């Protein structure tokens, strides 16, 4: 077992990669929980300012249109019926029918409604817009570049021939449930919002814009995507640049350069970071003693793991576990 990510170890055959879902693995470490804001029935002039809370957000336009203004993004995004906007990194954002329309500030928890409640209605007596909004609280902050390098706003248009078909069924179901007063509608909406977020991230990776960004675009590259899958499926392995390059049939230098270009950091830095992310997850969600957590993510001794984890998080593993236990 490797005592650090840089240890060189002879390995005659790389372990088999069974096709681990890297995107699902990354999202699983974030401990996502869905908070449905619900369905809004709005008449111009109208405006909604959503609270600044950590986590991702989605906005789905059911009818009409909206102007989305996001903190830190210089230009507003115009959304039409059927469009989906995803804010992977959260942040304050405002929706309104037109620039200058009055704003209704939504306080945290303001949209929490009892089971069976109808849509939230606001605005004047002008053109009508209907939309669904949800947010996703993160149990822990994203610390992998695969997620951190996503743009502030992802816009998936209803008329996009590439992405729209992959989202159509979920979008339609979510819109139907958002207008329903049937028992269980709120639970169904939450589950559909979860699905829609993952589908949206997957669709974005396949777009032209997504393929130009470091991070998630690496998943679409056959060799680098396989290397990431190997790291995610076997973080305990004593990986080296040479062994990863061999496993994906690339030269050492070619692999290192391509991995850094697509992922945004060198292979062993990504490996070291992912090991710590998985260790943190084990500390939060399992009862494994530190002596078993260390080898599970590739460290040969508890002492070397303790030092590496403290460099990464600023806290020793035991202190991290005590402060992040599930309620």
């Amino acid at each position: 077992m490797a005592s650090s990510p840089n240890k060189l170890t002879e390995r005659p055959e790389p372990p088999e990669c069974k096709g681990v879902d890297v995107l699902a693995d990354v999202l699983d470490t974030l401990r996502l929980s869905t908070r449905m804001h619900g369905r809004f029935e709005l008449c111009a002039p109208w405006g909604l300012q959503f609270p600044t809370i950590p986590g991702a957000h989605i906005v789905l336009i059911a009818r009409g249109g909206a102007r989305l203004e996001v903190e830190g993004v210089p230009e507003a995004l115009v959304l039409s019926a059927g469009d989906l906007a995803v804010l992977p990194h959260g942040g304050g954002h405002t929706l309104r029918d037109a620039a200058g329309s009055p704003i209704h500030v939504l306080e945290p928890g303001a949209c929490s409604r009892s089971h069976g409640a109808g849509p939230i209605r606001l605005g004047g007596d002008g053109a009508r817009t209907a939309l669904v909004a949800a947010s996703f609280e993160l149990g822990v902050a994203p610390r992998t570049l695969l997620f951190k390098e996503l743009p502030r706003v992802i816009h998936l248009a209803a008329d996009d021939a590439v992405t729209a078909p992959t989202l159509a069924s979920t979008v339609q179901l979510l819109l139907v449930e958002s207008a329903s007063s049937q028992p269980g509608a709120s639970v169904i909406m939450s589950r559909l919002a979860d699905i829609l977020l993952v589908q949206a991230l997957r669709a974005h990776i396949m777009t032209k814009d997504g393929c130009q960004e470091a991070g998630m675009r690496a998943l679409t590259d056959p060799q680098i995507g396989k290397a990431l899958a190997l790291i995610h499926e076997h973080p305990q392995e004593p990986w080296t640049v040479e062994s990863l390059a061999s496993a994906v049939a690339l030269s050492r230098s070619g692999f290192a350069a391509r991995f850094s270009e697509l992922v945004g950091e060198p292979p062993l830095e990504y490996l070291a970071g992912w090991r710590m992310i998985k260790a943190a997850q084990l500390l939060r969600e399992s009862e494994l003693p530190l002596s078993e957590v260390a080898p599970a993510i590739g460290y040969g001794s508890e002492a070397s793991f303790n030092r590496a984890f403290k460099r990464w998080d600023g806290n020793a593993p035991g202190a991290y576990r005590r402060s992040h236990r599930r309620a």
Side-chain angles (χ1 to χ4, degrees), residues 80-225:
S80 302
D83 285 7
L84 174 68
V86 181
L87 284 64
H89 309 292
H93 58 289
T94 298
L95 287 163
R96 47 184 160 186
D97 65 300
S101 289
I103 297 296
H104 177 82
V105 178
L106 297 172
E107 299 297 333
C111 299
S112 298
R113 296 172 294 142
S114 61
H115 169 73
I120 299 169
R121 294 184 170 87
L122 294 169
D125 56 5
R128 296 177 61 191
T129 292
L131 61 89
V132 176
S135 63
F136 303 85
E137 295 182 83
L138 305 182
V140 292
R143 297 177 74 162
T144 170
L145 284 181
L146 293 183
F147 195 90
K148 289 170 68 176
E149 292 297 316
L150 288 169
R152 294 292 306 277
V153 184
I154 296 172
H155 179 203
L156 299 171
D159 60 0
D160 188 307
V162 175
T163 62
T166 67
L167 306 175
S169 296
T170 309
V171 165
Q172 185 60 33
L173 285 171
L174 181 54
L175 293 179
V176 168
E177 290 297 332
S178 72
S180 171
S181 59
Q182 294 297 311
S186 59
V187 175
I188 295 173
M189 286 175 65
S190 293
R191 301 299 180 267
L192 290 171
D194 292 344
I195 294 169
L196 192 57
L197 175 65
V198 179
Q199 287 182 323
L201 293 176
R202 185 174 63 185
H204 172 69
I205 295 168
M206 305 305 298
T207 65
K208 181 178 178 181
D209 288 342
C211 287
Q212 293 176 347
E213 300 159 359
M216 288 289 185
R217 69 168 173 156
L219 302 183
T220 66
D221 182 89
Q223 281 110 352
I224 303 307

